[in-house]
Amino acid sequence: MNINTTMIATTTKETKGPVTIGKATKGLSGATVAPPDKSVSHRAVILGSIAEGATKVEGFLEGTDNMSTLNAFKQMGVAIDRSGSTALTSTTMASRLMIHGVGALGLSEPEDIINANNSGTTTRLLTGLLSAQPFFSVITGDASLRRRPMRRVVDPLRLMGARITGRMDGGLLPLSIEGQRLKGIEYKMPIASAQVKSALLLAGLYAEGETIVEEPAKTRDHAERMLMAFGADIKVDGLRVRITSKNKLNGCEVNPPGDISSAAFFMVGAMITPRSDLLTMFVGINPTRTGIIQILKKMGGVVIVGKEDDFTGEPVAGIRVKTSSLRGVDINAAELLPAIDEFPIICIAAAFAEGTTRIRGAGELRVKESDRIKAMGNLLTTIGISNKETDDGIVVEGAGSKTIKGGVVIDSLGDHRIAMSAAIAGLRAENGITILDPECANVSFPGFYEQLRKISGR
Ligand code: S3P
């Protein structure tokens, strides 16, 4: 593989300017680790901050999204010490946090606006938490986040008594929140969203009576698992989660597993690159997140999941993948939900599969960091892969084992998962693929390009 190193900054955390990923000359091989889980890292900071006593996070993801959450709690008076991590998942992008929890009512009013930057998780989870604090706060974000829908979280919070105002009647950031005493509700979520569920559970931690949230389909359950570990009064019964304000939270140790959504880029990269055999260690295999394994297996991918271990309530395992002859398949909404963030890289797997892949029920992808259906449709067209966007998905005509020409430029649109998907496609492009604004990968995977360089033997 040929990464244009003159365009890569010397630190692994900053990659300024366009990057060109050239065709792989060797397979992706050896053993590697994925960066710590983004969703778990957010929740660890939130719960650690409002718990009594100290919370140690061994292997916190230093991505820009997680730093937005961390900075928000610093603004609210929480002391958080950060140092190098010794976690098994330890890489340059992981750190150890010592969070000195202030207790449920110990947060102080932020003097300035909270900036969530690109992070939807920070925004939606904090909107739930801030609605119940006895102070005023304002939250905003970057241009991408300011376009993303907030009514999904604002509407149920208003039913709980929250006072939230914002552009488009609370539909868009900035949101201003006058914290209130909330009351518990029973809420049937119209869309499957772990961010909405988690926001309501955080509000429910403060609400009078019970808060019951019912999901239309099971989304990632990291919040429920961690709330249990911190001692919350929470019960999960299938798609229903119930929480009260009865118990106080107690600080504990959190050990985020490797993020399967980040590992997915290397998994697909190895499958589509000849002579690959790559092991990614300590990957989180929470069943609400393993859709990518099922989808790649359905496409004929060679995936071997090792022995399961436990990282403070989250299952982990090594995932080994080898070069595979992928074939086109139909993927429906139920199959995609546990791989919701993997849509862009699944499109790349489909691009190098034999035959047609149809993805349906992916409407939510239109309101992520970018309209990911459109972004991937354009990306595939630019690299010469025929495809058709549908309202809620995409149809991709795979190139099979053929190499694509490349020599093209892809605008990442500032979306980390689009940038990394383009990079992986570059491994199969005769003249490489150049990515604009590649450093947005730092949102979830600082050091991505450097790690890709290492596993491809350069
Ligand atoms: C997340 C939930 C998902 C996911 C996002 C992280 C979370 O978003 O796409 O990257 O940590 O709760 P939705 O809740 O919008 O589906």
Side-chain angles (χ1 to χ4, degrees):
M1 184 185 62
N2 164 27
I3 294 183
N4 187 340
T5 44
T6 58
M7 292 174 178
I8 295 185
T10 45
T11 71
T12 56
K13 290 198 180 160
E14 278 174 46
T15 306
K16 296 278 179 209
V19 152
T20 301
I21 307 294
K23 189 179 168 200
T25 49
K26 293 180 184 162
L28 306 194
S29 61
T32 190
V33 287
D37 192 278
K38 178 161 82 72
S39 294
V40 174
S41 293
H42 279 299
R43 286 158 174 82
V45 172
I46 296 173
L47 296 190
S49 294
I50 59 169
E52 310 264 334
T55 288
K56 183 163 110 179
V57 187
E58 193 66 84
F60 167 76
L61 175 63
E62 295 239 338
T64 50
D65 268 15
N66 293 112
M67 293 311 289
S68 297
T69 295
L70 188 136
N71 288 332
F73 283 93
K74 283 189 166 172
Q75 267 180 272
M76 292 189 279
V78 182
I80 305 176
D81 307 322
R82 219 163 101 218
S83 56
S85 172
T86 55
L88 289 175
T89 49
S90 173
T91 57
T92 49
M93 54 276 184
S95 60
R96 172 192 289 161
L97 299 184
M98 193 55 85
I99 306 170
H100 304 279
V102 293
L105 295 171
L107 296 175
S108 44
E109 181 171 278
E111 281 179 19
D112 203 349
I113 293 170
I114 291 173
N115 190 348
N117 299 295
N118 196 240
S119 177
T121 309
T122 306
T123 308
R124 297 196 177 113
L125 271 57
L126 284 194
T127 301
L129 183 74
L130 293 169
S131 293
Q133 303 305 313
F135 54 68
F136 172 76
S137 55
V138 180
I139 186 160
T140 193
D142 68 10
S144 149
L145 193 56
R146 292 197 306 270
R147 285 191 291 269
R148 296 180 67 185
M150 295 299 151
R151 283 293 286 269
R152 54 185 59 199
V153 66
V154 168
D155 284 348
L157 287 169
R158 281 178 176 160
L159 293 175
M160 295 176 80
R163 275 205 219 148
I164 305 172
T165 47
R167 288 192 301 138
M168 303 286 287
D169 190 21
L172 295 174
L173 293 179
L175 295 179
S176 76
I177 303 165
E178 281 175 65
Q180 297 295 315
R181 183 97 178 99
L182 303 180
K183 56 179 189 304
I185 55 165
E186 179 163 350
Y187 187 67
K188 272 194 180 190
M189 291 168 44
I191 47 171
S193 161
Q195 292 178 354
V196 174
K197 172 178 64 175
S198 305
L200 299 182
L201 294 177
L202 289 169
L205 267 181
Y206 291 83
E208 217 179 292
E210 290 197 321
T211 299
I212 299 170
V213 187
E214 188 176 324
E215 305 188 84
K218 189 83 178 166
T219 64
R220 64 189 69 192
D221 63 357
H222 305 299
E224 296 91 306
R225 286 171 186 253
M226 206 182 288
L227 279 160
M228 279 174 206
F230 276 79
D233 178 31
I234 179 169
K235 279 206 183 72
V236 179
D237 181 11
L239 296 175
R240 283 164 74 84
V241 190
R242 171 199 152 283
I243 195 162
T244 76
S245 58
K246 200 172 88 194
N247 297 355
K248 66 176 175 40
L249 303 187
N250 295 308
C252 60
E253 178 162 343
V254 183
N255 215 322
D259 198 324
I260 191 165
S261 298
S262 298
F265 294 102
F266 293 158
M267 287 163 66
V268 172
M271 282 183 183
I272 65 169
T273 304
R275 297 178 300 282
S276 292
D277 185 349
L278 182 74
L279 170 68
T280 310
M281 299 179 289
F282 317 116
V283 183
I285 52 160
N286 178 318
T288 60
R289 298 285 301 280
T290 46
I292 184 66
I293 296 177
Q294 310 315 328
I295 289 169
L296 290 174
K297 279 188 174 167
K298 186 171 172 180
M299 295 179 83
V302 182
V303 190
I304 303 147
V305 179
K307 189 172 161 291
E308 189 174 315
D309 208 339
D310 182 90
F311 270 28
T312 52
E314 292 282 349
V316 296
I319 300 182
R320 183 174 171 195
V321 299
K322 297 185 189 181
T323 307
S324 311
S325 302
L326 299 177
R327 55 178 181 271
V329 294
D330 282 4
I331 301 167
N332 63 31
E335 291 170 304
L336 188 68
L337 183 61
I340 189 77
D341 290 337
E342 283 67 88
F343 173 84
I345 195 63
I346 293 168
C347 289
I348 300 300
F352 296 100
E354 201 67 61
T356 308
T357 295
R358 282 181 203 80
I359 308 180
R360 297 191 177 87
E364 270 297 297
L365 275 299
R366 294 216 179 265
V367 290
K368 293 287 180 189
E369 286 82 332
S370 66
D371 174 342
R372 286 183 172 158
I373 297 180
K374 194 173 187 179
M376 288 311 296
N378 289 341
L379 185 158
L380 293 176
T381 303
T382 309
I383 65 173
I385 301 289
S386 144
N387 70 92
K388 193 171 180 313
E389 251 186 73
T390 62
D391 282 351
D392 71 341
I394 196 164
V395 182
V396 181
E397 303 299 340
S401 55
K402 292 193 220 63
T403 303
I404 57 165
K405 266 220 322 276
V408 293
V409 177
I410 300 290
D411 185 351
S412 67
L413 305 169
D415 183 332
H416 52 135
R417 301 201 200 276
I418 302 300
M420 292 187 278
S421 298
I424 296 302
L427 299 171
R428 281 282 295 275
E430 209 57 68
N431 300 309
I433 290 178
T434 297
I435 303 149
L436 301 183
D437 192 7
E439 62 268 28
C440 61
N442 292 340
V443 159
S444 61
F445 199 153
F448 168 77
Y449 302 98
E450 182 64 16
Q451 207 166 329
L452 182 57
R453 196 173 66 78
K454 281 192 188 138
I455 59 175
S456 56
R458 296 197 133 233

